[in-house]
Amino acid sequence: MPTSDAAHVPAGTIVVVPFPYSDRLAEKRRPALVVSGTAVAEAGYVWIAMITSARNTRLAGDLPIADLDAAGLGVASVVRPLKIACIEPNRILRRLGALHPDAAAAVYAAIHGMVGQA
């Protein structure tokens, strides 16, 4: 069931969402990391970064999640900053946990490093 206070999900929170595929018009229910802040929430959106199994083929920039218990994940996983999406808050199905602040900061730094310069 969608969470009613999704607009107040802070950055660093791990949620379950129907994450869009990048190569086709389809979605897969999966964990994702909220990477947006207050300004995005106030506009009515949430930015999320994909989380996938650590067993999958690694991509440049993948960051392992060290504390699976705090993250609410049952298997070794990575945050994939190359794959981010913008969704409406009502697409968040539930909260799982959170990344340690240092791990979240590494994700934000990775995303920042991938954003083009003006």
Side-chain angles (χ1 to χ4, degrees):
M1 107 180 129
T3 179
S4 60
D5 63 338
H8 297 97
V9 178
T13 303
I14 297 176
V15 296
V16 175
V17 298
F19 201 95
Y21 281 94
S22 60
D23 61 348
R24 58 187 175 271
L25 295 175
E27 302 170 323
K28 179 180 180 181
R29 184 178 292 198
R30 67 178 329 119
L33 176 69
V34 175
V35 295
S36 55
T38 304
V40 175
E42 288 175 353
Y45 299 101
V46 179
W47 291 348
I48 53 175
M50 178 184 193
I51 293 177
T52 192
S53 169
R55 294 183 325 199
N56 291 332
T57 303
R58 290 198 58 142
L59 295 180
D62 282 359
L63 298 167
I65 297 173
D67 190 344
L68 296 176
D69 289 335
L73 300 168
V75 298
S77 300
V78 298
V79 179
R80 184 159 281 171
L82 278 173
K83 292 193 175 186
I84 60 173
C86 178
I87 63 170
E88 293 189 1
N90 64 1
R91 304 282 285 160
I92 295 173
L93 303 174
R94 68 181 185 276
R95 297 179 195 204
L96 292 178
L99 279 190
H100 184 278
D102 291 341
V107 173
Y108 310 143
I111 292 170
H112 185 265
M114 294 176 198
V115 175
Q117 299 295 319

